[in-house]
Amino acid sequence: MKKNLIQSLYIATISAMIIGCSESKKISADKTTTLKEAYKKDFLIGTALNTAQIEEKEPNSAALVPQQFNAITTENIMKAEIMHPTWNNYNFEMADKLVAYGQKHNIKINAHTLIWHSQLPAFVRRMKSADSVKLFFENHINTIASRYDGKVLSWDVVNEALEEDGTMRKSIFLEKLGDGFVVEAFRLAQKAAPNTELYYNDYNIEEPKKRAGAIALIKKIQAAGVRIDGVGIQGHWRIGKIPFKEIEQSILEYSALGIKVMFTELDLGVIPNPWDGNAADVNLKAEYNAKMNPYAKGLPDSVQAEFTKGYEDLFKLFLKHKDKITRITFWGVNDGQSWLNDWPIRGRTNYPLLFDRNFQPKPAYYKVIGLKK
Ligand code: G3I
């Protein structure tokens, strides 16, 4: 009975997608489940949404997101630059819409992010005095975290506070507030949002040196008697470079700290980057040249196969540790939306997600679902 209902819902939503987008090709009819249904006993399956998607102005996403995902992270709209543009001026409009969207579709919200060195409003970037930074820091956390307490499941309280070698990242917060700022952010968030889960989120924290730094940071928060509920390993990786061994070790070591482990911004890039490794520093940029955009006209089958295998092996690992993992979030709904088309080189064609530019499920989608059949 329940299965029939899911199937009917699925077919209805797929029909809406086909009607909603003239570009969509016909979707094959052999699908009987969705990502969130397949993994409902294991972990939440999330995606990151942009403004048009939250406002349901984009018909394909409007159909696909509630069907496939039961968790949302805000890709940009809850960053300080957008939510807190000037001293006493907060912009709650989109975040309020997001809360309504989550309630309407019964989707959990991970709010991203309270304290991040990037995407800071201009008035903060100009600050010289430590007192001003401290006041911004306190007001920002108190005002925003308290407003959404009980309305969002969780916050990425601090994002990307570490360098690759595991030391504290050189940022305005480190410079003006000292290295206790992470503990202080969690202390303030705990007070302002007692009903919200609080996470530390970063990229490459599966790698040994950075992982050691993250573990030291988490222990420091815990030793101060401050609550931290989970850690988000972002998961911006590339095919052929997925660090499976380190990922597994990280799941074990982070969960041994008594916190939840999540993969929070998952995507698998398939095109080269100038450093030939995994990275996600938004400040890194490089010049366009055609050699760096090899699949502009389509993805060769061999690369598609490697990509599919990458996701298959990752989800096998996630399932092996499902007792420790609470959420897997993809960084975007479909390939066309991904930040990886414009980073670190603008205007390229990347293929990092489970749905293609026409919102069609890719072979990797079926492999990931197939692991649960
Ligand atoms: O909204 C403006 C638009 O008005 C303007 O015309 C346009 C011109 O470039 O820029 C638009 O803003 C862009 C914004 O995304 C919204 O699309 C910014 O330039 C662009 O830098 C910004 O990129 C975001 C990036 O974070 C920096 O905030 C990406 O979408 C977003 O996917 C990315 O997400 C980060 C996570 O927050 C943290 N971890 C790494 C991850 C990937 O970089």
Side-chain angles (χ1 to χ4, degrees):
M1 169 74 181
K2 191 160 181 209
K3 198 169 174 201
N4 286 342
L5 180 66
I6 292 164
Q7 285 176 0
S8 316
L9 275 173
Y10 188 85
I11 289 161
T13 322
I14 289 291
S15 310
M17 284 169 56
I18 293 168
I19 294 161
C21 177
S22 54
E23 286 170 32
S24 289
K25 289 170 226 146
K26 191 165 179 334
I27 294 168
S28 55
D30 64 341
K31 295 182 294 294
T32 53
T33 190
T34 68
L35 289 169
K36 73 172 185 187
E37 284 301 328
Y39 284 87
K40 72 179 170 206
K41 294 204 175 119
D42 306 312
F43 28 69
L44 293 170
I45 299 282
T47 187
L49 294 191
N50 62 31
T51 304
Q53 291 167 325
I54 293 165
E55 293 187 318
E56 300 189 79
K57 287 186 174 157
E58 201 278 288
N60 283 316
S61 295
L64 191 71
V65 172
Q67 169 202 74
Q68 296 286 343
F69 302 101
N70 46 22
I72 292 169
T73 297
T74 51
E75 185 175 9
N76 286 304
I77 60 124
M78 292 182 94
K79 291 174 179 170
E81 181 179 59
I82 296 171
M83 287 212 83
H84 192 171
T86 60
W87 251 120
N88 281 320
N89 179 17
Y90 291 87
N91 178 1
F92 298 123
E93 190 191 347
M94 279 313 300
D96 288 354
K97 282 186 185 172
L98 175 79
V99 168
Y101 178 94
Q103 284 166 351
K104 177 175 160 194
H105 295 293
N106 193 21
I107 301 182
K108 305 254 187 282
I109 295 168
N110 176 56
H112 171 87
T113 171
L114 282 170
I115 296 300
W116 188 28
H117 64 279
S118 191
Q119 304 294 109
L120 280 170
F123 81 97
V124 178
R125 282 186 268 127
R126 284 194 299 263
M127 280 176 182
K128 296 277 180 283
S129 105
D131 285 348
S132 304
V133 175
K134 186 163 182 281
L135 203 54
F136 158 77
F137 186 87
E138 291 171 355
N139 288 344
H140 184 77
I141 296 175
N142 288 339
T143 306
I144 298 178
S146 60
R147 181 180 178 97
Y148 295 101
D149 190 34
K151 295 182 175 156
V152 300
L153 171 70
S154 51
W155 267 106
D156 291 337
V157 177
V158 176
N159 192 45
E160 301 173 5
L162 293 166
E163 304 278 4
E164 295 306 287
D165 66 0
T167 59
M168 294 297 291
R169 180 190 283 273
K170 285 156 206 63
S171 70
I172 185 170
F173 299 117
L174 182 68
E175 188 195 328
K176 304 291 184 192
L177 307 180
D179 64 7
F181 84 85
V182 175
V183 174
E184 199 46 33
F186 277 82
R187 195 194 308 277
L188 290 166
Q190 166 179 270
K191 193 151 179 265
N195 305 300
T196 306
E197 295 187 14
L198 308 177
Y199 306 148
Y200 177 70
N201 191 56
D202 209 333
Y203 58 84
N204 286 357
I205 51 168
E206 68 281 2
E207 294 297 338
K209 283 187 186 155
K210 204 166 179 181
R211 186 201 313 154
I215 288 173
L217 203 55
I218 293 163
K219 284 186 170 168
K220 195 168 161 186
I221 298 168
Q222 293 174 326
V226 174
R227 177 166 62 89
I228 173 167
D229 300 292
V231 62
I233 301 169
Q234 292 185 4
H236 295 294
W237 294 309
R238 288 175 56 219
I239 57 166
K241 311 252 174 206
I242 306 170
F244 289 104
K245 195 173 133 268
E246 304 304 351
I247 295 170
E248 180 158 35
Q249 192 58 27
S250 298
I251 296 169
L252 299 173
E253 289 185 22
Y254 287 124
S255 68
L257 300 171
I259 56 174
K260 298 174 178 180
V261 179
M262 282 148 276
F263 292 85
T264 52
E265 304 186 11
L266 182 59
D267 44 29
L268 291 187
V270 301
I271 56 180
N273 72 35
W275 313 282
D276 211 34
N278 294 308
D281 188 333
V282 288
N283 297 316
L284 295 173
K285 291 195 172 50
E287 285 298 308
Y288 182 90
N289 79 57
K291 262 202 207 139
M292 296 300 273
N293 192 18
Y295 310 131
K297 296 204 170 98
L299 197 60
D301 289 348
S302 60
V303 183
Q304 184 81 266
E306 193 179 354
F307 171 85
T308 302
K309 182 82 170 69
Y311 268 114
E312 182 186 9
D313 290 346
L314 265 180
F315 272 77
K316 278 185 183 162
L317 184 57
F318 296 156
L319 280 171
K320 181 176 170 195
H321 295 290
K322 63 184 182 182
D323 58 323
K324 302 175 182 64
I325 297 172
T326 55
R327 171 165 58 87
I328 307 292
T329 290
F330 296 88
W331 204 239
V333 176
N334 80 345
D335 286 343
Q337 176 203 344
S338 170
W339 73 294
L340 289 172
N341 295 303
D342 287 310
W343 181 91
I345 298 171
R346 291 193 80 86
R348 297 194 299 169
T349 308
N350 212 330
Y351 302 82
L353 298 166
L354 295 189
F355 295 92
D356 72 14
R357 285 170 166 71
N358 290 321
F359 293 84
Q360 301 301 300
K362 292 157 63 171
Y365 168 92
Y366 294 109
K367 269 288 178 221
V368 167
I369 292 253
L371 294 175
K372 292 298 300 177
K373 282 192 173 159

